[in-house]
Amino acid sequence: MQTVDNLIAGLPYKHQPTVQRLRLMILKADPGVVETVKWGTPVYSRGRNLISIVPNEVNIELKLWEGGLLARKHKCIEGKGKGMRHITVPYEGATNLDAIESVITAIIKKPA
């Protein structure tokens, strides 16, 4: 069974710090959140899927299962889905980390 640690270690070295930073933001928001690997990506849940970190060649897609509910309040959320939305995070030079952390906290703390 693949772990998130193994998955991150298998990424290109220059991509690992940003993925790890997002991971730590999520775990800090709720140390009790369940961290698993699904669909080849880290997925964070608490009774339901909440967030996944999807690294690709050019950036990271931070997938938000209930992002549609927060899109009006958080302008960094992209997409048009009723529920699923995302935030595009560059591997280097991300300037909106405070906004991303605010979204993560809102998703993690949102009641079921």
Side-chain angles (χ1 to χ4, degrees), residues 4-5 7-27 42 44 53 55-56 59-60 62 89-94 97 100 104:
V4 174
D5 287 325
L7 189 137
I8 292 172
L11 294 173
Y13 182 75
K14 66 181 184 176
H15 297 171
Q16 293 176 21
T18 306
V19 173
Q20 188 69 284
R21 187 166 188 180
L22 293 170
R23 177 190 191 192
L24 293 176
M25 283 182 189
I26 295 166
L27 295 174
Y44 301 86
I53 301 172
N56 59 50
N59 57 42
I60 300 165
L62 190 66
V89 184
Y91 286 111
E92 296 179 23
L97 292 175
I100 292 169
I104 288 171

Side-chain angles (χ1 to χ4, degrees), residues 66-84:
E66 298 175 0
L69 301 173
L70 300 172
R72 284 191 173 159
K73 183 176 180 182
H74 300 276
K75 300 303 178 191
C76 62
I77 296 176
E78 304 171 52
K80 298 182 189 248
K82 182 178 178 182
M84 177 67 81

Side-chain angles (χ1 to χ4, degrees), residues 24-104:
L24 293 176
M25 283 182 189
I26 295 166
L27 295 174
K28 177 183 166 194
D30 182 357
V33 72
V34 177
E35 178 182 64
T36 57
V37 175
K38 296 180 183 178
W39 310 288
T41 65
V43 176
Y44 301 86
S45 60
R46 200 178 65 250
R48 65 196 191 287
N49 293 333
L50 301 170
I51 302 173
S52 64
I53 301 172
V54 184
N56 59 50
E57 291 181 19
V58 295
N59 57 42
I60 300 165
E61 297 268 327
L62 190 66
K63 300 287 186 179
L64 311 167
W65 262 261
E66 298 175 0
L69 301 173
L70 300 172
R72 284 191 173 159
K73 183 176 180 182
H74 300 276
K75 300 303 178 191
C76 62
I77 296 176
E78 304 171 52
K80 298 182 189 248
K82 182 178 178 182
M84 177 67 81
R85 301 281 180 102
H86 69 277
I87 299 173
T88 302
V89 184
Y91 286 111
E92 296 179 23
T95 58
N96 60 343
L97 292 175
D98 288 341
I100 292 169
E101 190 165 18
S102 177
V103 171
I104 288 171

